[in-house]
Structure formats: C-alpha cells, structure tokens
Amino acid sequence: MKKMYLITCLLSLVFSVANTQNDVQKLVASMLASTPLEEDLQELCDEIGGRVTGSPANEKAVEWAFQKLTESGVKTWKDPFTMPVYWDEDYCQAYISTLEFRPHMVAKYQSPPGVYEGRLIFVEDGRENALAALGKEKLRDQFILVETELCLDVNGLFAEYAHAAQVELAAMNYGVKGIVFMASRPDKLLYRFLTMKGVENELPQLVMSRIDAKRCIRALQQGKELHLQLQIEAKTGSAFTAHNVIAEIPGTDRSDEVIVIGSHIDSWALGTGANDNGCNVSMMIDIARQMQALGIRPRRTIRIALWNGEEQGFFGSWDYVKDHRNELDNHKMAMSIDIGSGAINGFFTNGRSELVPVVDQLLTAVEGLGNFTQINVPIVGTDNFDFMLQGVPNLVGSHLPQVYGINYHASTDTYDKVDLKQLKVNSAIVAALTLGFANLPDEVISTLKRQSRSEIQKIFDDTNLEFTMRMFNVWEPWISGLRGRLE
C-alpha cells in the first residue's frame, strides 16, 4: 500500500509539472533574457561594498534591497531582529622584532581589540598532540603559529573550519595568549571567518599571509626566537537591531502555505561580498521582479528573504523561525542559495530522503540547463540551518567550485570573480524549482512533513553532525533547547 501511495504521488507530481509547465517556461525564459541582475550586482558590490552586519554599508544595502523590491511591485518589508554584539575590524598591525618586519595579518571575528606582545611559537598543525609535545609551561601566555593546508575548493573550506576548531579547542587548554593561523590561500591573500565560539569569542585569533607565515616558520626552525607585537583595532558594541528584507508573492488556493527562498545580504568587508553572497542576493531580487512582471500567481505563497547576520551565526534566519514558530507547520520548504556563482549541479536535501524524488522531478523542467544530482546529507553553515532545526524540509544549492573556495571571505571576493552567464542560468533553475514547489499537488506536499525533534536528532546522529555543529557554536543551543524544535 505504501508503494502504491508513493507511485500515486509521483504520478500526481508528473501531472502537476506538466500542468504548470507554461508558467515555468515563461519564468525560465524571462530569467534567461535581459534583466537588471548584473547591474544590481555591480551596484551592490562596487557602490556599497563589504557589508558587515550593523555597519553603515550593511544598512545601506538593506535600504537598497528594500527599494529594488518595492519598485518591482512586490509586497516588501524590513524584518527587524537583535544582533547580540557588534564587531568590525578597523585594522590589524603586527611587528616581528627579531626579523624587523611587519607581516600581513587580519583578526578573526570577535577578536578583542587591544595591544598584545608575546613570543611566537611554531606548533605545526596545532592539534592536541602537537601542543602536548611542547607542554603548557612553554605555551602559556604566548602566541602559537599554526601551519595550514592550501584551500582551493569548498571541501577545503569545510576542512579548514574543522582544523581551526580542533586547534581552538586544544589551545584553550594550554592558556595561550592568541592563535596565529597561516593563511590557507596563496601568497598574501587574506580572509576572515568565525571562530568556534562565534559571538562569545574572547581569544585573539588571527590569519597571517602564507608567505609571511612561512618566513616566520623558517626562522623558528633555525632556532631563532620571534617576538610578536600586535595591535587590533575594531569598532565594537553591545546588542543592536539589524534587518532582514523580505518580499512576498501571495498564493491563491493554498496561500497559508509558504515556500521560503533566500540568500544572505551581509558579508565580510575585506572584499565586496560578490560570490558570498551578493550574486545570489541579486538572483533573489530578480526572481521576485520577474514573477511579479509576469503576473505569476502560485498556489502557495512564495516568500523571498534577504537574510542578515548570517556570517556571525545565521541570526536573521534564526529570528525569523522564532517569530513564525506558530506557522512552521505550514512552511513547506525553505531553500538557501549561498555557494557562489558556479553552476548549480543539484541540491543538498539535508537528510530528507523524501525530498530527493520531488526535486528530481521538478528539475526536469530545466533539464537542459544542467546535470543535477541531489546530495542527501545535512550541511551546517548557512540560512537553511534553523529551518532544519525546526523540522522544515530544506534545501541548499550545490554548485561547481568556480573560484568560490580560494576567494571565500577574502579581499578578492569582488564583482569581477562572478560568473555572470552562469548566474543567469542558476537564477532560472532556482526560479523553476521554487515555482514547482509552490504549485505541488496536495498529495505530494503532504509527504514532506515537518519533522519532530527526535527525527531531527536522528539525522544528526546518523551523520555524525555534532562536531560540525560545535564548529559553528550551535550544538549546545540545540541540546539546551535554546535553538530548534522542542518536541
């Protein structure tokens, strides 16, 4: 009986796709035609620039996006939420007195501003075994220099996050004054991301250019003693109000049911937030604009979100699910697009195997635009996360690497790195999938149920996700019930 029901649902889905093909075809054609997407992206990157949450540039970007969506005729609003702290680096200066040179360095998020001094001690990969070999007496109140692998793709990014978290955990037990990571990018390319403690970090953590770190390591291996003088200057503050920007295409007969798609509007400020994630912000604006221009009226309400506070811990999307906690049974799918402008080659279905055949079928509407394979593993690191914690079916776009990894959070994340032609194609793919979900027949959407807490936990257990969640400082909030579904 279960097999027959599944076959019935899939046949119904095939019929639905055929039935709504005209709207999908019109929307895809519109997305692929000449639109203001590229001009929007250039404005966001070149005229507004890097957009640290709470900064003047971030607030300007929120107003810019609100105006773009409002001008398109879509119902749009600014959605306020509270960010726990403000931190935006002004500069980081370092001096190695023994070698009389100034290495290029930046501080990681929430590194406390101040003036610091101490010996710089090479600890190889910085994991527990390497620190134990040197001992607490040698490392206490000193700076450690950690060697890293080159990062050239998205897999390298996840590996770097995991490595940094392991180093941070070990270093705290040895009483170090601070951690200096060799940059995982070539030459003098610098970048920034979260520490394991996120907004709660109290330990100076820095990234030193690969060239300069290697120079220090050579000197240390020759037996020289290096003395580091460091000054971190940053604008800091307590809790403040930031805003998501949300637009809505109202549904018809199932208007109380919601399909959410989104990208984050904030970025780090070394570059101009182009592939992370301005290109996909521009995509979201263009999807709303073209749906409105075509007069498309989906069965379910489509809500387009430009999330804020993502880089510091997905705060904008977390606040959204808290505000809408009583409506989440009616949130039928939440999608995040946040891995640059490389070709979309499928979607992460985040442990929800029942999503795979639905996504497979809906993507047949754009089968000429790519080869798609769904990846049924949960990922942590973007704005699908709190929907996953609430049991809402959720997707994240999977992309070919393009140049995403090497420029991630770096000074080189600029407009010229975006694959503009592929961004147009990606926009059509996401638009078609979104409209497909919005128009699914009831018997198919009913198979995509909201999960209970125990079902969510089983996904985490089955995929060994605990350490990854700890890397982003979200495991304890989940376990304590501060974050996620309670029942």
Side-chain angles (χ1 to χ4, degrees):
M1 288 298 293
K2 186 176 180 182
K3 186 175 180 182
M4 284 300 298
Y5 179 69
L6 179 61
I7 292 171
T8 302
C9 287
L10 288 175
L11 288 173
S12 183
L13 174 55
V14 171
F15 178 76
S16 172
V17 169
N19 229 17
T20 60
Q21 197 73 9
N22 285 341
D23 271 356
V24 171
Q25 287 176 346
K26 285 191 296 183
L27 180 58
V28 167
S30 183
M31 299 305 302
L32 294 173
S34 178
T35 73
L37 183 149
E38 295 177 16
E39 291 82 355
D40 287 349
L41 178 59
Q42 188 171 359
E43 283 180 21
L44 181 60
C45 294
D46 291 352
E47 296 182 22
I48 297 176
R51 304 172 294 280
V52 175
T53 308
S55 68
N58 181 266
E59 293 174 355
K60 185 176 181 181
V62 165
E63 186 60 34
W64 171 87
F66 176 78
Q67 291 299 327
K68 289 284 181 183
L69 288 162
T70 301
E71 288 166 7
S72 73
V74 184
K75 178 185 176 183
T76 306
W77 64 96
K78 300 175 194 174
D79 176 38
F81 66 95
T82 300
M83 283 289 294
V85 294
Y86 179 62
W87 187 96
D88 188 7
E89 183 186 85
D90 285 328
Y91 64 86
C92 177
Q93 293 183 344
Y95 182 66
I96 307 288
S97 56
T98 319
L99 302 178
E100 297 185 352
F101 93 109
R102 298 187 180 279
H104 288 74
M105 296 173 67
V106 294
K108 286 191 178 184
Y109 175 69
Q110 273 297 107
S111 288
V115 176
Y116 303 91
E117 292 189 27
R119 285 181 60 198
L120 186 63
I121 300 173
F122 179 48
V123 293
E124 298 180 344
D125 68 8
R127 292 184 172 93
E128 174 63 33
N129 288 345
L131 299 187
L134 293 167
K136 288 186 179 181
E137 188 172 333
K138 184 173 182 178
L139 297 177
R140 186 180 292 112
D141 209 31
Q142 307 299 339
F143 284 90
I144 59 173
L145 176 58
V146 178
E147 192 169 25
T148 66
E149 298 290 333
L150 268 174
C151 171
L152 300 174
D153 55 27
V154 176
N155 289 335
L157 293 178
F158 282 110
E160 182 173 9
Y161 270 109
H163 176 212
Q166 291 164 357
V167 172
E168 190 176 340
L169 276 175
M172 286 187 291
N173 294 328
Y174 285 80
V176 304
K177 183 173 286 185
I179 307 172
V180 179
F181 292 90
M182 171 195 284
S184 66
R185 320 295 166 78
D187 303 326
K188 289 188 178 289
L189 186 55
L190 292 172
Y191 55 94
R192 172 177 293 121
F193 57 77
L194 281 174
T195 67
M196 190 176 183
K197 287 291 186 179
V199 297
E200 300 166 0
N201 177 61
E202 296 178 348
L203 183 68
Q205 298 191 49
L206 305 109
V207 177
M208 181 187 289
S209 77
R210 197 168 188 86
I211 286 176
D212 292 343
K214 286 185 173 183
R215 179 178 175 181
C216 291
I217 290 170
R218 288 193 298 271
L220 290 165
Q221 289 175 331
Q222 290 167 1
K224 291 183 171 65
E225 184 174 297
L226 300 189
H227 188 78
L228 174 66
Q229 298 171 12
L230 175 68
Q231 183 177 4
I232 300 171
E233 290 290 339
K235 298 182 183 72
T236 63
S238 56
F240 65 95
T241 299
H243 294 84
N244 303 314
V245 181
I246 299 179
E248 189 171 274
I249 306 290
T252 54
D253 63 308
R254 291 295 184 188
S255 61
D256 60 326
E257 297 179 350
V258 181
I259 306 297
V260 179
I261 62 171
S263 299
H264 68 88
I265 197 168
D266 62 307
S267 77
W268 296 116
L270 292 172
T272 60
N275 271 306
D276 188 19
N277 193 25
C279 60
N280 296 313
V281 166
S282 299
M283 172 200 290
M284 294 297 150
I285 292 171
D286 215 35
I287 289 172
R289 179 191 287 130
Q290 301 311 315
M291 282 189 176
Q292 181 70 10
L294 291 169
I296 287 175
R297 292 294 173 259
R299 294 188 67 209
R300 296 175 183 85
T301 295
I302 296 172
R303 202 165 281 165
I304 297 129
L306 306 180
W307 306 115
N308 216 335
E310 189 271 352
E311 296 291 6
Q312 295 85 359
F314 339 126
F315 283 99
S317 48
W318 180 20
D319 186 80
Y320 175 94
V321 300
K322 287 188 289 186
D323 284 350
H324 295 269
R325 62 172 60 88
N326 295 329
E327 306 158 33
L328 291 177
D329 285 346
N330 279 344
H331 280 60
K332 299 303 181 181
M333 191 275 287
M335 184 197 313
S336 179
I337 307 297
D338 186 20
I339 312 181
S341 57
I344 289 180
N345 58 358
F347 290 82
F348 291 95
T349 51
N350 296 298
R352 303 292 297 261
S353 58
E354 70 275 21
L355 272 171
V356 174
V358 177
V359 175
D360 284 344
Q361 184 59 49
L362 291 176
L363 287 175
T364 61
V366 286
E367 59 189 352
L369 298 183
N371 297 313
F372 309 112
T373 301
Q374 311 338 315
I375 307 167
N376 191 36
V377 296
I379 62 171
V380 182
T382 190
D383 289 301
N384 72 302
F385 180 71
D386 283 282
F387 291 95
M388 179 165 63
L389 291 192
Q390 291 287 348
V392 176
N394 60 102
L395 301 171
V396 178
S398 172
H399 301 243
L400 293 179
Q402 200 237 359
V403 293
Y404 183 78
I406 196 169
N407 298 302
Y408 174 78
H409 290 189
S411 54
T412 50
D413 184 14
T414 49
Y415 175 81
D416 55 295
K417 308 302 187 308
V418 175
D419 186 337
L420 295 170
K421 290 183 179 178
Q422 187 60 52
L423 179 60
K424 293 285 289 180
V425 174
N426 289 351
S427 299
I429 293 166
V430 172
L433 184 59
T434 301
L435 186 55
F437 268 98
N439 287 331
L440 278 176
D442 295 345
E443 57 267 33
V444 176
I445 209 76
S446 68
T447 67
L448 308 179
K449 299 182 184 299
R450 187 179 174 201
Q451 290 180 322
S452 67
R453 184 178 178 90
S454 61
E455 289 171 322
I456 301 163
Q457 183 65 57
K458 187 175 188 305
I459 290 176
F460 298 163
D461 293 341
D462 290 348
T463 56
N464 299 311
L465 205 65
E466 178 179 344
F467 183 75
T468 303
M469 290 173 66
R470 288 188 183 278
M471 280 162 43
F472 289 92
N473 200 33
V474 291
W475 177 257
E476 290 301 333
W478 161 252
I479 292 299
S480 70
L482 178 65
R483 203 161 184 166
R485 189 163 193 181
L486 296 176
E487 70 286 344

PDB file of all heavy atoms in Angstrom, residues 101-117:
ATOM      1  N   PHE A 101      60.291  42.948  10.639  1.00  0.00           N
ATOM      2  CA  PHE A 101      59.362  43.079   9.516  1.00  0.00           C
ATOM      3  C   PHE A 101      57.925  43.031  10.017  1.00  0.00           C
ATOM      4  O   PHE A 101      57.650  42.568  11.131  1.00  0.00           O
ATOM      5  CB  PHE A 101      59.641  42.016   8.447  1.00  0.00           C
ATOM      6  CG  PHE A 101      58.846  40.742   8.565  1.00  0.00           C
ATOM      7  CD1 PHE A 101      57.847  40.445   7.655  1.00  0.00           C
ATOM      8  CD2 PHE A 101      59.120  39.805   9.567  1.00  0.00           C
ATOM      9  CE1 PHE A 101      57.130  39.262   7.733  1.00  0.00           C
ATOM     10  CE2 PHE A 101      58.411  38.618   9.655  1.00  0.00           C
ATOM     11  CZ  PHE A 101      57.414  38.348   8.734  1.00  0.00           C
ATOM     12  N   ARG A 102      57.041  43.529   9.175  1.00  0.00           N
ATOM     13  CA  ARG A 102      55.618  43.629   9.523  1.00  0.00           C
ATOM     14  C   ARG A 102      54.827  42.638   8.661  1.00  0.00           C
ATOM     15  O   ARG A 102      54.575  42.899   7.487  1.00  0.00           O
ATOM     16  CB  ARG A 102      55.102  45.049   9.301  1.00  0.00           C
ATOM     17  CG  ARG A 102      55.794  46.081  10.182  1.00  0.00           C
ATOM     18  CD  ARG A 102      55.154  47.451  10.061  1.00  0.00           C
ATOM     19  NE  ARG A 102      55.827  48.414  10.915  1.00  0.00           N
ATOM     20  CZ  ARG A 102      55.608  48.559  12.225  1.00  0.00           C
ATOM     21  NH1 ARG A 102      54.713  47.784  12.822  1.00  0.00           N
ATOM     22  NH2 ARG A 102      56.279  49.452  12.928  1.00  0.00           N
ATOM     23  N   PRO A 103      54.461  41.526   9.239  1.00  0.00           N
ATOM     24  CA  PRO A 103      53.681  40.551   8.470  1.00  0.00           C
ATOM     25  C   PRO A 103      52.266  41.064   8.202  1.00  0.00           C
ATOM     26  O   PRO A 103      51.713  41.834   8.986  1.00  0.00           O
ATOM     27  CB  PRO A 103      53.650  39.327   9.392  1.00  0.00           C
ATOM     28  CG  PRO A 103      53.802  39.889  10.770  1.00  0.00           C
ATOM     29  CD  PRO A 103      54.696  41.081  10.623  1.00  0.00           C
ATOM     30  N   HIS A 104      51.691  40.633   7.092  1.00  0.00           N
ATOM     31  CA  HIS A 104      50.304  40.988   6.759  1.00  0.00           C
ATOM     32  C   HIS A 104      49.376  40.066   7.542  1.00  0.00           C
ATOM     33  O   HIS A 104      49.459  38.835   7.425  1.00  0.00           O
ATOM     34  CB  HIS A 104      50.062  40.833   5.258  1.00  0.00           C
ATOM     35  CG  HIS A 104      50.724  41.877   4.432  1.00  0.00           C
ATOM     36  ND1 HIS A 104      52.079  41.903   4.207  1.00  0.00           N
ATOM     37  CD2 HIS A 104      50.217  42.963   3.786  1.00  0.00           C
ATOM     38  CE1 HIS A 104      52.392  42.937   3.450  1.00  0.00           C
ATOM     39  NE2 HIS A 104      51.283  43.597   3.180  1.00  0.00           N
ATOM     40  N   MET A 105      48.482  40.671   8.323  1.00  0.00           N
ATOM     41  CA  MET A 105      47.587  39.887   9.169  1.00  0.00           C
ATOM     42  C   MET A 105      46.221  40.557   9.260  1.00  0.00           C
ATOM     43  O   MET A 105      46.111  41.777   9.098  1.00  0.00           O
ATOM     44  CB  MET A 105      48.168  39.741  10.588  1.00  0.00           C
ATOM     45  CG  MET A 105      49.470  38.977  10.645  1.00  0.00           C
ATOM     46  SD  MET A 105      50.235  38.992  12.288  1.00  0.00           S
ATOM     47  CE  MET A 105      49.074  38.021  13.229  1.00  0.00           C
ATOM     48  N   VAL A 106      45.190  39.740   9.530  1.00  0.00           N
ATOM     49  CA  VAL A 106      43.871  40.251   9.903  1.00  0.00           C
ATOM     50  C   VAL A 106      43.387  39.457  11.108  1.00  0.00           C
ATOM     51  O   VAL A 106      43.817  38.309  11.338  1.00  0.00           O
ATOM     52  CB  VAL A 106      42.830  40.142   8.759  1.00  0.00           C
ATOM     53  CG1 VAL A 106      43.197  41.035   7.592  1.00  0.00           C
ATOM     54  CG2 VAL A 106      42.663  38.692   8.311  1.00  0.00           C
ATOM     55  N   ALA A 107      42.500  40.052  11.868  1.00  0.00           N
ATOM     56  CA  ALA A 107      41.911  39.369  13.021  1.00  0.00           C
ATOM     57  C   ALA A 107      40.651  38.626  12.597  1.00  0.00           C
ATOM     58  O   ALA A 107      39.910  39.078  11.723  1.00  0.00           O
ATOM     59  CB  ALA A 107      41.580  40.380  14.115  1.00  0.00           C
ATOM     60  N   LYS A 108      40.413  37.484  13.228  1.00  0.00           N
ATOM     61  CA  LYS A 108      39.142  36.799  13.052  1.00  0.00           C
ATOM     62  C   LYS A 108      38.056  37.539  13.852  1.00  0.00           C
ATOM     63  O   LYS A 108      38.340  38.304  14.767  1.00  0.00           O
ATOM     64  CB  LYS A 108      39.236  35.350  13.529  1.00  0.00           C
ATOM     65  CG  LYS A 108      40.023  34.439  12.585  1.00  0.00           C
ATOM     66  CD  LYS A 108      39.832  32.982  13.014  1.00  0.00           C
ATOM     67  CE  LYS A 108      40.536  32.026  12.092  1.00  0.00           C
ATOM     68  NZ  LYS A 108      40.267  30.627  12.477  1.00  0.00           N
ATOM     69  N   TYR A 109      36.816  37.243  13.483  1.00  0.00           N
ATOM     70  CA  TYR A 109      35.656  37.906  14.093  1.00  0.00           C
ATOM     71  C   TYR A 109      35.675  37.778  15.616  1.00  0.00           C
ATOM     72  O   TYR A 109      35.929  36.704  16.168  1.00  0.00           O
ATOM     73  CB  TYR A 109      34.376  37.282  13.534  1.00  0.00           C
ATOM     74  CG  TYR A 109      33.105  37.790  14.173  1.00  0.00           C
ATOM     75  CD1 TYR A 109      32.684  39.099  13.965  1.00  0.00           C
ATOM     76  CD2 TYR A 109      32.338  36.962  14.986  1.00  0.00           C
ATOM     77  CE1 TYR A 109      31.513  39.564  14.543  1.00  0.00           C
ATOM     78  CE2 TYR A 109      31.161  37.421  15.567  1.00  0.00           C
ATOM     79  CZ  TYR A 109      30.761  38.722  15.344  1.00  0.00           C
ATOM     80  OH  TYR A 109      29.606  39.178  15.930  1.00  0.00           O
ATOM     81  N   GLN A 110      35.379  38.888  16.277  1.00  0.00           N
ATOM     82  CA  GLN A 110      35.271  38.986  17.728  1.00  0.00           C
ATOM     83  C   GLN A 110      36.598  38.825  18.467  1.00  0.00           C
ATOM     84  O   GLN A 110      36.609  38.602  19.681  1.00  0.00           O
ATOM     85  CB  GLN A 110      34.259  37.986  18.288  1.00  0.00           C
ATOM     86  CG  GLN A 110      32.817  38.525  18.308  1.00  0.00           C
ATOM     87  CD  GLN A 110      32.652  39.744  19.217  1.00  0.00           C
ATOM     88  OE1 GLN A 110      32.508  40.866  18.754  1.00  0.00           O
ATOM     89  NE2 GLN A 110      32.690  39.519  20.517  1.00  0.00           N
ATOM     90  N   SER A 111      37.718  38.950  17.747  1.00  0.00           N
ATOM     91  CA  SER A 111      38.993  39.029  18.464  1.00  0.00           C
ATOM     92  C   SER A 111      39.010  40.342  19.233  1.00  0.00           C
ATOM     93  O   SER A 111      38.741  41.401  18.658  1.00  0.00           O
ATOM     94  CB  SER A 111      40.163  38.975  17.474  1.00  0.00           C
ATOM     95  OG  SER A 111      40.303  37.670  16.943  1.00  0.00           O
ATOM     96  N   PRO A 112      39.319  40.313  20.522  1.00  0.00           N
ATOM     97  CA  PRO A 112      39.223  41.534  21.328  1.00  0.00           C
ATOM     98  C   PRO A 112      40.238  42.589  20.876  1.00  0.00           C
ATOM     99  O   PRO A 112      41.423  42.267  20.720  1.00  0.00           O
ATOM    100  CB  PRO A 112      39.548  41.050  22.747  1.00  0.00           C
ATOM    101  CG  PRO A 112      39.368  39.570  22.722  1.00  0.00           C
ATOM    102  CD  PRO A 112      39.689  39.139  21.334  1.00  0.00           C
ATOM    103  N   PRO A 113      39.812  43.830  20.657  1.00  0.00           N
ATOM    104  CA  PRO A 113      40.764  44.893  20.324  1.00  0.00           C
ATOM    105  C   PRO A 113      41.757  45.089  21.470  1.00  0.00           C
ATOM    106  O   PRO A 113      41.432  44.869  22.640  1.00  0.00           O
ATOM    107  CB  PRO A 113      39.876  46.125  20.152  1.00  0.00           C
ATOM    108  CG  PRO A 113      38.507  45.601  19.922  1.00  0.00           C
ATOM    109  CD  PRO A 113      38.428  44.317  20.683  1.00  0.00           C
ATOM    110  N   GLY A 114      42.969  45.508  21.131  1.00  0.00           N
ATOM    111  CA  GLY A 114      43.959  45.758  22.161  1.00  0.00           C
ATOM    112  C   GLY A 114      45.364  45.657  21.623  1.00  0.00           C
ATOM    113  O   GLY A 114      45.588  45.375  20.438  1.00  0.00           O
ATOM    114  N   VAL A 115      46.328  45.896  22.504  1.00  0.00           N
ATOM    115  CA  VAL A 115      47.749  45.781  22.184  1.00  0.00           C
ATOM    116  C   VAL A 115      48.281  44.549  22.901  1.00  0.00           C
ATOM    117  O   VAL A 115      48.050  44.374  24.112  1.00  0.00           O
ATOM    118  CB  VAL A 115      48.521  47.040  22.621  1.00  0.00           C
ATOM    119  CG1 VAL A 115      50.015  46.875  22.374  1.00  0.00           C
ATOM    120  CG2 VAL A 115      47.989  48.273  21.884  1.00  0.00           C
ATOM    121  N   TYR A 116      48.988  43.688  22.173  1.00  0.00           N
ATOM    122  CA  TYR A 116      49.460  42.417  22.717  1.00  0.00           C
ATOM    123  C   TYR A 116      50.935  42.227  22.389  1.00  0.00           C
ATOM    124  O   TYR A 116      51.419  42.696  21.349  1.00  0.00           O
ATOM    125  CB  TYR A 116      48.667  41.245  22.115  1.00  0.00           C
ATOM    126  CG  TYR A 116      47.175  41.316  22.318  1.00  0.00           C
ATOM    127  CD1 TYR A 116      46.355  41.939  21.371  1.00  0.00           C
ATOM    128  CD2 TYR A 116      46.574  40.754  23.427  1.00  0.00           C
ATOM    129  CE1 TYR A 116      44.980  42.002  21.540  1.00  0.00           C
ATOM    130  CE2 TYR A 116      45.194  40.801  23.612  1.00  0.00           C
ATOM    131  CZ  TYR A 116      44.405  41.434  22.661  1.00  0.00           C
ATOM    132  OH  TYR A 116      43.049  41.486  22.830  1.00  0.00           O
ATOM    133  N   GLU A 117      51.627  41.502  23.251  1.00  0.00           N
ATOM    134  CA  GLU A 117      53.004  41.103  23.000  1.00  0.00           C
ATOM    135  C   GLU A 117      53.216  39.687  23.505  1.00  0.00           C
ATOM    136  O   GLU A 117      52.596  39.268  24.483  1.00  0.00           O
ATOM    137  CB  GLU A 117      53.994  42.043  23.705  1.00  0.00           C
ATOM    138  CG  GLU A 117      54.036  43.445  23.134  1.00  0.00           C
ATOM    139  CD  GLU A 117      55.186  44.266  23.718  1.00  0.00           C
ATOM    140  OE1 GLU A 117      56.200  43.644  24.120  1.00  0.00           O
ATOM    141  OE2 GLU A 117      55.055  45.490  23.773  1.00  0.00           O
TER     142      GLU A 117
END
